[in-house]
Each structure stands twice: as C-alpha cells, then as structure tokens.
Amino acid sequence: MTNHLQEVEDGMKSRRQQAVRWKTHGHVLATVKSIFRGWEDVVVELIKNAYDADARNIWIRCPRKDLPEADRREFEVRDDGHGMTREDVETKYCATGRDKISADGYRSPNGRTVNGRRGTGKFAALVVANEVVVETWARGEHSTFKYTEEAIREASDNDVAVDVLTEACDPSERGTRIALLGLFQNEPLPTERSIANVLLRHFGQQSDVTIHINDVPFTPQDHAQRIDEIIDEEIPGFGSVTGAIWLTHQPIKTPGIVIYHRGQTVHGPSLFGVEHKGYRGDTRTLTKKLVGRISVEPEDESTIGTGAWTLTNSYKAVEEWLGKRLEKIVEKGVEDHLQKRVDNWLRDSIAKKHYERLNDEQKAAARRILVSRAKTAGDTEVNTRAERVIARFVTRSMRVNNLAVVVQAVEEADDATVDTLASILGGDGRWTLRQVVITSTVVKERVKALDELAKVTADDSYNESAIHKILANNPWIISDDFHSFRSNRQILTTLREVFGIHATNTDATTRPDFFFVLGNMLSSADGAAVSDMRYLFVELKGPDQPLGLDQQNQATNDASKFLHYRGGGHANVWLIGTRFHPRMPCATELAVSSPVRYHYRATTYQELIELCRRRLMYLDEGMASQAEQVAKKVVELNEQEIAAMVK
C-alpha cells in the first residue's frame, strides 16, 4: 500500500501531457456567436463561471497605457474558486451541452445560485479572441490547456482532441485563470471604466465576492449611487422582483436594466421606453446614467428565458412596471439636480442680492424660470459665466413689469442662445448689448426714412426740394462710405473749406445737389497721392420733372471743373430721378482729361431704395439669432434699466 502511494506521488510530481477528448461540434461556435455579441457578454460569462466556482475574489486584468500588457493585447480573468482537476476538465469543462442543473443542482457547493446551464459560456471568449488559454489549480493538480476558434470550426464530429498539460502543485492552491489572446480589433478593447459599468449592471448587488480591476477592488459606490432598491415587490400579472438601480457618475455608452432569472440573463440591458420620452438637457443625460439588475420570479415560467417571452403578457407587465418606475426615478433625479443647479446660480452675489429683494411669488416665478432654463441648458458646469449672467438677468427682471416678454424668451431659449445672450449682456460677444441698442435704433430710423422717401418719390405732387430735404438728412441713402458730405454748396466754396484751394474763376460757382468725399480723405501733405482720391457728384430731380441732358451735362462739367482745380483723382457722377429723357444714356463712362476719368451712372429712386433695404437687411442679419432677438426686446427698456441689468 505504501509503495502504491509513493508511486502516485512520484507521478504527480512529474509533468504529463495527455490529450482529452472534447465533446463538442463545430456548429457550437456559430450558435454561441449568435447569443454572445461583444465584450459585455464575454466579461459577464467569465465572471459567472468564477462565481459558480464559489470564488471569493475575481481578478480582471485589461490592457491600459501604463501596463506592459497593453502592447500584448491580452485580457485575463482569474479567480480563487474551487478550480478543476484534470478529470474535471475532461468530464465537465470539455463536455459541451452537459445539463449542469440536472447534474449538480441550482446551488453551488457553498450555496450560491448557479449561473451556468449548458456549458456554452466558455465559448463566449471566442467572440472577441482567437485563442483561449486555461490554467487551473485543484486538489494538488495544476492543469493547462488552450483552444482556438480554428480548432472548433474544423471539428466535423463530436470528438475534438485537446492537449492538457498536468503537473503537481501545492494542495492549498486553487482557482482558475483564463487568458484571451489574439484579440479581435472589430470593437475597442474594454477599459477599466467600461468593465466597471458592466460589473455595476450585473454584479453590483453581490456582496459575497470581491472583483478586482487591474488589482484595484471594484466598489460600486465609487462609480455610481444606488437610487432604488427593490425587495420582493409584486408585479400584478407576473410575479415578484428583487434588485437595485444605480445612477452612474458619468454617462455610459449602453445604459439600462438587465433582467435575471435564476442566474441567467433573460432580457436587457433596456430602459423600457424611458429613452423615448423626448427628454432634453439634464433629463436626457440622466437616462444615460441608469444601470441596474433585477431578478424575477414569475408565476408562470413556461416561456421566460426563451425568445417568445417578450411577446407575452407576462413580459409586458414587467416592461410597464419598470418603465413607470424608471420614469419616476428620472423625474425625481432631474428635479433634485435642477434645484441644486439653480441654488448654485443664485449664490452669485448680484443674483442673490436681487433674489432676496423679491416677494414669495416673485421668488417662486424666478426659480420656476431658472429650473426651466436648467432643463434645456445641458449637464454643463454649473458655475459658468453664462448661467450666472442669466441668473442675474432673471432675478433683476422679476422687479420690472415690462420685462415679462424678455423673461419668457429666456425661459424658452436653448443652450446656444443663452450662451450668446450671456455674452451680449456681459459685453464679450460679437454683438454687445450696446451694439444691439445702437443697431436696433439705427435700423428703425433708417427704415422709416426709406419709407418716407418711397412715399415722396411715388407722388408727382412733390417736387425736388422735398426729396432733397430727405436725402440731406439721410446722406447714407446715397452712400454710407464717405468722409465728408456737402449739400447744395458752390464748388469753389467746397474747394476752399474742405481742401484749402482758392479758386477765383466764376465757372466754379455752380452748385451740385450733393458732393461726397468717399473713404478716408488724406491730404497730399500726409503722403497720399491726389490721384488716389475718390469723389461723388449727385444731381437729382423730383417726380414732377424728368431728368434730361441738361442735368447730365451740368453734373459732368461740375466733376471736370472740380478735378481740374483739385489736380486729379477719381470721380463718380450720379443722376437720380423718377423719369429720364429718352435720349439720355442710362450708364456710360466718359474721359475728361488724361489721366482723370469719371464714372457716370443714372438710376431711379426705386432702385436706390431697394439697394438700401438690402444693406439694412445685411446689417440686421447680425442680430438674426434668438439671442439677439431677446436683446432687441431688452433695448425697449430705458438706459437705467439696461445699466442695472448688465451690472
């Protein structure tokens, strides 16, 4: 007997490699890939296997930038569970399709609810990796083997050979290590954060196991806040549910609740319709933070766990119950979050000062507006300058009756609008509030002037003097790019007063209706060549008289005389009227004396008015956004109110 034990011990100390017959078929992998679709399923299946082995600790190692393993593209899950002997590898691990529940029951040796059923979870790893290496320790045996996707696919019968290397080890060593090699690149590798989110959803309730991610223990509270705990609650028409719902600290790619039945995932992750409620801003962001797991005990188990379950009234009862519960969670969470944001905004010294002066009704209205604003503002930094300015704006405006329409506009504005409005109020944007005030006033005045000119030029009862008066008061109608403007002044007077040139010839006593120096006027003493100067001469007639050759000759002669005394330059000659003599050319270019030339143009008041309206439209485009429209309403206040608003 003693000799026999010695022989066994000597044999265990030596390494031995022996083929184990793996009872599976090539079609299994195709079936598995239709069930398990990504890293979340892979991680869940590997942890489930470790949990079923009564592991107290599970270590997950994933590549990260500061780890040498990052370049090797390996992923590893190790546990301190029961492990497997060589016999276990052959009779259990390599026996695909084995009915684990019938053989071992629903409970593990230590009383845990078993997750595994048919032994197909081991193949989930082949969804993301080409090769799986298994290393396991149990009862003094240390076994190592591997399997690949190629080997499984090439299987044509139920007898695939797997080489298992077994050697003796310390009997106290136990557990299993599974390494995934040759990781596919069709989706990003799991990160510490993504794995934490998976654990939070599937294993956040487990207190009898510690899971480590790159040697750091996973603690659910470090990643999320438990906001709902469900203990044996009854769902009418279904059965009972138990579980927990968490709110992650950061939005995640795939939020939702998973439904488990006796350790098996039967549905999810899903938000059960909450994501389709049309939420915006913080509310929408909140739905991207919901994760959790519930375990169900249905009264009728005939269809649960099958593809047909989602078509039954049993599932619809769960779906409706969870949808309403999640909706209440979202609404409460959003309300709490929004109130905190508004409190932060109102801590601003100026907003706080105005807020404290309000009566209870005004305070309620101000908070209601700011909460509505916060709903659409997005989950941004609560102390941004934009939001502080808006809080000041709203609390100040509560005490000004004629600001109701402005407050309503702010309440309905979107994120970008409020940011722009804050810049306007604060004076940092392209359009400051002062610019909006000035521009709005200018646009209104100019539109009024154009309307008056259109009225006068369309009525034959008005003469030239009526039109001359309007244009003299609004020279921008002819040109808004002039340095100097003269109305009905003699050429010799203009030469003397504007250019310091004294002309005594009597032929310089004619009076152009309008004379403009275009652009920036620089004297020759400043180094500007006289030939670079630009001038505009204008002759016009009222609707009661047509423009003829006499006016044309007078205007061109005035330009020639002026350029002669000035010593050169460039001139434009405009004739403006309602009607024109048939023989008068509408547009031409005439040479006066080399190198002096002038450009001649004849146009109607209607064309001039339309041109000006287009210019005003372009000017108004700078205030076309909703923010500038709100600012336009603000300018209706008097200057004192505006000053108080932007302080």
Side-chain angles (χ1 to χ4, degrees), residues 235-239 259 266-267 272 296 298-321:
I235 299 179
F238 173 73
I259 301 177
V266 294
H267 186 69
F272 299 93
V296 299
E299 296 172 354
D300 179 9
E301 298 186 8
S302 59
T303 59
I304 194 165
T306 69
W309 183 55
T310 56
L311 304 176
T312 65
N313 291 331
S314 170
Y315 169 76
K316 291 179 181 178
V318 176
E319 180 183 39
E320 182 179 357
W321 183 86

mmCIF file of all heavy atoms in Angstrom, residues 235-239 259 266-267 272 296 298-321:
data_model
loop_
_atom_site.group_PDB
_atom_site.id
_atom_site.type_symbol
_atom_site.label_atom_id
_atom_site.label_comp_id
_atom_site.label_asym_id
_atom_site.label_seq_id
_atom_site.Cartn_x
_atom_site.Cartn_y
_atom_site.Cartn_z
ATOM 1 N N ILE A 235 -45.459 42.317 -8.963
ATOM 2 C CA ILE A 235 -45.940 42.934 -10.195
ATOM 3 C C ILE A 235 -47.230 42.224 -10.577
ATOM 4 O O ILE A 235 -47.216 41.015 -10.854
ATOM 5 C CB ILE A 235 -44.918 42.821 -11.330
ATOM 6 C CG1 ILE A 235 -43.618 43.531 -10.962
ATOM 7 C CG2 ILE A 235 -45.483 43.413 -12.620
ATOM 8 C CD1 ILE A 235 -42.546 43.433 -12.024
ATOM 9 N N PRO A 236 -48.353 42.927 -10.589
ATOM 10 C CA PRO A 236 -49.621 42.279 -10.936
ATOM 11 C C PRO A 236 -49.548 41.607 -12.305
ATOM 12 O O PRO A 236 -49.069 42.200 -13.277
ATOM 13 C CB PRO A 236 -50.625 43.444 -10.936
ATOM 14 C CG PRO A 236 -50.018 44.464 -10.034
ATOM 15 C CD PRO A 236 -48.539 44.347 -10.235
ATOM 16 N N GLY A 237 -49.985 40.374 -12.357
ATOM 17 C CA GLY A 237 -49.985 39.646 -13.618
ATOM 18 C C GLY A 237 -48.667 39.011 -13.971
ATOM 19 O O GLY A 237 -48.503 38.466 -15.062
ATOM 20 N N PHE A 238 -47.687 39.087 -13.055
ATOM 21 C CA PHE A 238 -46.394 38.484 -13.350
ATOM 22 C C PHE A 238 -45.852 37.648 -12.190
ATOM 23 O O PHE A 238 -45.769 36.439 -12.264
ATOM 24 C CB PHE A 238 -45.366 39.556 -13.722
ATOM 25 C CG PHE A 238 -43.977 39.015 -13.880
ATOM 26 C CD1 PHE A 238 -43.644 38.245 -14.993
ATOM 27 C CD2 PHE A 238 -43.008 39.227 -12.909
ATOM 28 C CE1 PHE A 238 -42.369 37.710 -15.127
ATOM 29 C CE2 PHE A 238 -41.738 38.709 -13.041
ATOM 30 C CZ PHE A 238 -41.417 37.941 -14.158
ATOM 31 N N GLY A 239 -45.441 38.311 -11.121
ATOM 32 C CA GLY A 239 -44.806 37.634 -10.003
ATOM 33 C C GLY A 239 -44.042 38.640 -9.174
ATOM 34 O O GLY A 239 -44.474 39.793 -9.028
ATOM 35 N N ILE A 259 -32.536 41.922 -16.807
ATOM 36 C CA ILE A 259 -33.438 41.059 -16.056
ATOM 37 C C ILE A 259 -32.815 39.672 -15.966
ATOM 38 O O ILE A 259 -32.437 39.083 -16.991
ATOM 39 C CB ILE A 259 -34.824 40.968 -16.728
ATOM 40 C CG1 ILE A 259 -35.438 42.372 -16.838
ATOM 41 C CG2 ILE A 259 -35.750 40.053 -15.941
ATOM 42 C CD1 ILE A 259 -36.786 42.381 -17.556
ATOM 43 N N VAL A 266 -32.202 37.109 -18.991
ATOM 44 C CA VAL A 266 -33.329 36.802 -19.880
ATOM 45 C C VAL A 266 -33.756 38.009 -20.705
ATOM 46 O O VAL A 266 -34.509 37.863 -21.668
ATOM 47 C CB VAL A 266 -34.541 36.263 -19.078
ATOM 48 C CG1 VAL A 266 -34.210 34.918 -18.465
ATOM 49 C CG2 VAL A 266 -34.973 37.249 -18.000
ATOM 50 N N HIS A 267 -33.258 39.216 -20.338
ATOM 51 C CA HIS A 267 -33.596 40.391 -21.153
ATOM 52 C C HIS A 267 -32.713 41.568 -20.736
ATOM 53 O O HIS A 267 -32.335 41.703 -19.585
ATOM 54 C CB HIS A 267 -35.054 40.783 -20.966
ATOM 55 C CG HIS A 267 -35.486 41.890 -21.902
ATOM 56 N ND1 HIS A 267 -35.601 41.713 -23.260
ATOM 57 C CD2 HIS A 267 -35.810 43.184 -21.660
ATOM 58 C CE1 HIS A 267 -35.999 42.838 -23.823
ATOM 59 N NE2 HIS A 267 -36.124 43.747 -22.866
ATOM 60 N N PHE A 272 -36.599 50.418 -21.106
ATOM 61 C CA PHE A 272 -38.034 50.162 -21.078
ATOM 62 C C PHE A 272 -38.865 51.390 -21.444
ATOM 63 O O PHE A 272 -39.845 51.728 -20.788
ATOM 64 C CB PHE A 272 -38.441 49.617 -19.707
ATOM 65 C CG PHE A 272 -37.753 48.324 -19.369
ATOM 66 C CD1 PHE A 272 -36.566 48.325 -18.647
ATOM 67 C CD2 PHE A 272 -38.257 47.116 -19.820
ATOM 68 C CE1 PHE A 272 -35.899 47.141 -18.371
ATOM 69 C CE2 PHE A 272 -37.603 45.922 -19.538
ATOM 70 C CZ PHE A 272 -36.427 45.931 -18.815
ATOM 71 N N VAL A 296 -36.115 38.107 -11.307
ATOM 72 C CA VAL A 296 -37.565 37.913 -11.334
ATOM 73 C C VAL A 296 -37.918 36.476 -10.968
ATOM 74 O O VAL A 296 -37.176 35.534 -11.246
ATOM 75 C CB VAL A 296 -38.146 38.258 -12.720
ATOM 76 C CG1 VAL A 296 -37.878 39.715 -13.061
ATOM 77 C CG2 VAL A 296 -37.560 37.366 -13.809
ATOM 78 N N PRO A 298 -41.260 34.620 -11.801
ATOM 79 C CA PRO A 298 -42.612 34.672 -12.390
ATOM 80 C C PRO A 298 -43.508 33.557 -11.863
ATOM 81 O O PRO A 298 -43.032 32.499 -11.443
ATOM 82 C CB PRO A 298 -42.330 34.493 -13.885
ATOM 83 C CG PRO A 298 -41.080 33.695 -13.933
ATOM 84 C CD PRO A 298 -40.258 34.112 -12.745
ATOM 85 N N GLU A 299 -44.781 33.824 -11.896
ATOM 86 C CA GLU A 299 -45.739 32.789 -11.518
ATOM 87 C C GLU A 299 -45.781 31.692 -12.581
ATOM 88 O O GLU A 299 -45.995 30.519 -12.267
ATOM 89 C CB GLU A 299 -47.119 33.418 -11.335
ATOM 90 C CG GLU A 299 -47.167 34.430 -10.188
ATOM 91 C CD GLU A 299 -48.484 35.180 -10.134
ATOM 92 O OE1 GLU A 299 -49.298 34.990 -11.061
ATOM 93 O OE2 GLU A 299 -48.696 35.958 -9.180
ATOM 94 N N ASP A 300 -45.580 32.106 -13.843
ATOM 95 C CA ASP A 300 -45.573 31.141 -14.944
ATOM 96 C C ASP A 300 -44.189 31.171 -15.591
ATOM 97 O O ASP A 300 -43.785 32.164 -16.174
ATOM 98 C CB ASP A 300 -46.651 31.509 -15.967
ATOM 99 C CG ASP A 300 -46.675 30.548 -17.156
ATOM 100 O OD1 ASP A 300 -45.980 29.503 -17.098
ATOM 101 O OD2 ASP A 300 -47.387 30.844 -18.128
ATOM 102 N N GLU A 301 -43.439 30.081 -15.482
ATOM 103 C CA GLU A 301 -42.076 30.024 -16.004
ATOM 104 C C GLU A 301 -41.990 29.327 -17.363
ATOM 105 O O GLU A 301 -40.901 29.047 -17.842
ATOM 106 C CB GLU A 301 -41.170 29.278 -15.018
ATOM 107 C CG GLU A 301 -41.067 29.949 -13.664
ATOM 108 C CD GLU A 301 -40.045 29.265 -12.774
ATOM 109 O OE1 GLU A 301 -39.329 28.377 -13.273
ATOM 110 O OE2 GLU A 301 -39.949 29.631 -11.592
ATOM 111 N N SER A 302 -43.112 29.126 -17.986
ATOM 112 C CA SER A 302 -43.117 28.320 -19.208
ATOM 113 C C SER A 302 -42.390 28.989 -20.364
ATOM 114 O O SER A 302 -41.804 28.305 -21.209
ATOM 115 C CB SER A 302 -44.560 27.994 -19.620
ATOM 116 O OG SER A 302 -45.296 29.203 -19.838
ATOM 117 N N THR A 303 -42.425 30.301 -20.423
ATOM 118 C CA THR A 303 -41.809 30.984 -21.582
ATOM 119 C C THR A 303 -40.608 31.833 -21.209
ATOM 120 O O THR A 303 -39.871 32.260 -22.097
ATOM 121 C CB THR A 303 -42.840 31.897 -22.281
ATOM 122 O OG1 THR A 303 -43.331 32.860 -21.338
ATOM 123 C CG2 THR A 303 -43.993 31.088 -22.835
ATOM 124 N N ILE A 304 -40.402 32.123 -19.935
ATOM 125 C CA ILE A 304 -39.303 33.005 -19.565
ATOM 126 C C ILE A 304 -37.973 32.364 -19.940
ATOM 127 O O ILE A 304 -37.770 31.156 -19.801
ATOM 128 C CB ILE A 304 -39.346 33.334 -18.059
ATOM 129 C CG1 ILE A 304 -38.406 34.506 -17.772
ATOM 130 C CG2 ILE A 304 -38.984 32.133 -17.204
ATOM 131 C CD1 ILE A 304 -38.621 35.142 -16.425
ATOM 132 N N GLY A 305 -37.060 33.184 -20.436
ATOM 133 C CA GLY A 305 -35.772 32.671 -20.889
ATOM 134 C C GLY A 305 -35.778 32.248 -22.334
ATOM 135 O O GLY A 305 -34.745 31.869 -22.878
ATOM 136 N N THR A 306 -36.913 32.334 -23.001
ATOM 137 C CA THR A 306 -36.994 31.998 -24.426
ATOM 138 C C THR A 306 -37.231 33.279 -25.220
ATOM 139 O O THR A 306 -37.621 34.311 -24.679
ATOM 140 C CB THR A 306 -38.144 31.017 -24.702
ATOM 141 O OG1 THR A 306 -39.405 31.690 -24.488
ATOM 142 C CG2 THR A 306 -38.060 29.815 -23.776
ATOM 143 N N GLY A 307 -37.027 33.179 -26.508
ATOM 144 C CA GLY A 307 -37.238 34.346 -27.361
ATOM 145 C C GLY A 307 -38.683 34.784 -27.416
ATOM 146 O O GLY A 307 -38.984 35.925 -27.751
ATOM 147 N N ALA A 308 -39.588 33.877 -27.070
ATOM 148 C CA ALA A 308 -41.012 34.200 -27.143
ATOM 149 C C ALA A 308 -41.493 34.975 -25.924
ATOM 150 O O ALA A 308 -42.607 35.498 -25.913
ATOM 151 C CB ALA A 308 -41.823 32.911 -27.293
ATOM 152 N N TRP A 309 -40.657 35.073 -24.871
ATOM 153 C CA TRP A 309 -41.127 35.706 -23.642
ATOM 154 C C TRP A 309 -41.497 37.171 -23.841
ATOM 155 O O TRP A 309 -42.464 37.668 -23.275
ATOM 156 C CB TRP A 309 -40.042 35.584 -22.552
ATOM 157 C CG TRP A 309 -40.494 36.160 -21.239
ATOM 158 C CD1 TRP A 309 -41.622 35.820 -20.538
ATOM 159 C CD2 TRP A 309 -39.854 37.186 -20.485
ATOM 160 N NE1 TRP A 309 -41.719 36.554 -19.382
ATOM 161 C CE2 TRP A 309 -40.634 37.413 -19.323
ATOM 162 C CE3 TRP A 309 -38.687 37.921 -20.655
ATOM 163 C CZ2 TRP A 309 -40.293 38.342 -18.352
ATOM 164 C CZ3 TRP A 309 -38.342 38.848 -19.686
ATOM 165 C CH2 TRP A 309 -39.133 39.055 -18.555
ATOM 166 N N THR A 310 -40.750 37.894 -24.676
ATOM 167 C CA THR A 310 -41.027 39.320 -24.871
ATOM 168 C C THR A 310 -42.348 39.562 -25.587
ATOM 169 O O THR A 310 -42.789 40.707 -25.684
ATOM 170 C CB THR A 310 -39.893 39.976 -25.673
ATOM 171 O OG1 THR A 310 -39.724 39.284 -26.912
ATOM 172 C CG2 THR A 310 -38.590 39.946 -24.883
ATOM 173 N N LEU A 311 -42.965 38.513 -26.108
ATOM 174 C CA LEU A 311 -44.250 38.652 -26.800
ATOM 175 C C LEU A 311 -45.430 38.336 -25.881
ATOM 176 O O LEU A 311 -46.582 38.454 -26.297
ATOM 177 C CB LEU A 311 -44.304 37.732 -28.022
ATOM 178 C CG LEU A 311 -43.175 37.919 -29.047
ATOM 179 C CD1 LEU A 311 -43.303 36.883 -30.152
ATOM 180 C CD2 LEU A 311 -43.209 39.329 -29.632
ATOM 181 N N THR A 312 -45.156 37.960 -24.652
ATOM 182 C CA THR A 312 -46.213 37.530 -23.739
ATOM 183 C C THR A 312 -46.702 38.687 -22.872
ATOM 184 O O THR A 312 -46.029 39.703 -22.711
ATOM 185 C CB THR A 312 -45.707 36.409 -22.826
ATOM 186 O OG1 THR A 312 -44.663 36.930 -21.979
ATOM 187 C CG2 THR A 312 -45.161 35.235 -23.642
ATOM 188 N N ASN A 313 -47.898 38.503 -22.286
ATOM 189 C CA ASN A 313 -48.437 39.485 -21.343
ATOM 190 C C ASN A 313 -47.583 39.557 -20.084
ATOM 191 O O ASN A 313 -47.535 40.589 -19.416
ATOM 192 C CB ASN A 313 -49.881 39.129 -20.987
ATOM 193 C CG ASN A 313 -50.813 39.318 -22.164
ATOM 194 O OD1 ASN A 313 -50.582 40.166 -23.031
ATOM 195 N ND2 ASN A 313 -51.884 38.527 -22.211
ATOM 196 N N SER A 314 -46.915 38.429 -19.766
ATOM 197 C CA SER A 314 -46.028 38.392 -18.607
ATOM 198 C C SER A 314 -44.913 39.426 -18.751
ATOM 199 O O SER A 314 -44.639 40.203 -17.834
ATOM 200 C CB SER A 314 -45.441 36.985 -18.458
ATOM 201 O OG SER A 314 -44.419 36.973 -17.484
ATOM 202 N N TYR A 315 -44.267 39.467 -19.922
ATOM 203 C CA TYR A 315 -43.200 40.441 -20.153
ATOM 204 C C TYR A 315 -43.756 41.863 -20.197
ATOM 205 O O TYR A 315 -43.149 42.793 -19.650
ATOM 206 C CB TYR A 315 -42.473 40.141 -21.458
ATOM 207 C CG TYR A 315 -41.540 41.260 -21.872
ATOM 208 C CD1 TYR A 315 -40.314 41.431 -21.242
ATOM 209 C CD2 TYR A 315 -41.910 42.167 -22.864
ATOM 210 C CE1 TYR A 315 -39.471 42.471 -21.591
ATOM 211 C CE2 TYR A 315 -41.069 43.207 -23.220
ATOM 212 C CZ TYR A 315 -39.850 43.357 -22.582
ATOM 213 O OH TYR A 315 -39.025 44.391 -22.918
ATOM 214 N N LYS A 316 -44.904 42.045 -20.831
ATOM 215 C CA LYS A 316 -45.495 43.381 -20.928
ATOM 216 C C LYS A 316 -45.791 43.952 -19.551
ATOM 217 O O LYS A 316 -45.665 45.167 -19.327
ATOM 218 C CB LYS A 316 -46.759 43.330 -21.774
ATOM 219 C CG LYS A 316 -46.483 43.050 -23.248
ATOM 220 C CD LYS A 316 -47.763 42.982 -24.056
ATOM 221 C CE LYS A 316 -47.457 42.679 -25.524
ATOM 222 N NZ LYS A 316 -48.696 42.551 -26.328
ATOM 223 N N ALA A 317 -46.165 43.096 -18.605
ATOM 224 C CA ALA A 317 -46.412 43.566 -17.242
ATOM 225 C C ALA A 317 -45.117 44.073 -16.615
ATOM 226 O O ALA A 317 -45.091 45.123 -15.946
ATOM 227 C CB ALA A 317 -47.016 42.434 -16.402
ATOM 228 N N VAL A 318 -44.010 43.331 -16.828
ATOM 229 C CA VAL A 318 -42.709 43.760 -16.305
ATOM 230 C C VAL A 318 -42.256 45.047 -16.987
ATOM 231 O O VAL A 318 -41.752 45.983 -16.346
ATOM 232 C CB VAL A 318 -41.657 42.651 -16.494
ATOM 233 C CG1 VAL A 318 -40.282 43.125 -16.049
ATOM 234 C CG2 VAL A 318 -42.058 41.398 -15.731
ATOM 235 N N GLU A 319 -42.420 45.096 -18.293
ATOM 236 C CA GLU A 319 -41.996 46.269 -19.061
ATOM 237 C C GLU A 319 -42.719 47.521 -18.595
ATOM 238 O O GLU A 319 -42.099 48.575 -18.387
ATOM 239 C CB GLU A 319 -42.267 46.023 -20.546
ATOM 240 C CG GLU A 319 -41.859 47.174 -21.450
ATOM 241 C CD GLU A 319 -42.205 46.917 -22.899
ATOM 242 O OE1 GLU A 319 -43.290 46.352 -23.160
ATOM 243 O OE2 GLU A 319 -41.404 47.269 -23.771
ATOM 244 N N GLU A 320 -44.027 47.442 -18.419
ATOM 245 C CA GLU A 320 -44.805 48.602 -17.986
ATOM 246 C C GLU A 320 -44.422 49.014 -16.562
ATOM 247 O O GLU A 320 -44.256 50.203 -16.275
ATOM 248 C CB GLU A 320 -46.295 48.277 -18.060
ATOM 249 C CG GLU A 320 -47.190 49.446 -17.683
ATOM 250 C CD GLU A 320 -48.662 49.105 -17.791
ATOM 251 O OE1 GLU A 320 -48.983 47.973 -18.219
ATOM 252 O OE2 GLU A 320 -49.485 49.966 -17.441
ATOM 253 N N TRP A 321 -44.244 48.042 -15.690
ATOM 254 C CA TRP A 321 -43.903 48.333 -14.298
ATOM 255 C C TRP A 321 -42.531 48.997 -14.206
ATOM 256 O O TRP A 321 -42.361 50.014 -13.522
ATOM 257 C CB TRP A 321 -43.925 47.031 -13.491
ATOM 258 C CG TRP A 321 -43.656 47.206 -12.031
ATOM 259 C CD1 TRP A 321 -44.560 47.506 -11.057
ATOM 260 C CD2 TRP A 321 -42.387 47.087 -11.372
ATOM 261 N NE1 TRP A 321 -43.944 47.573 -9.827
ATOM 262 C CE2 TRP A 321 -42.603 47.327 -9.991
ATOM 263 C CE3 TRP A 321 -41.099 46.795 -11.803
ATOM 264 C CZ2 TRP A 321 -41.572 47.278 -9.053
ATOM 265 C CZ3 TRP A 321 -40.070 46.758 -10.869
ATOM 266 C CH2 TRP A 321 -40.306 46.991 -9.516
#
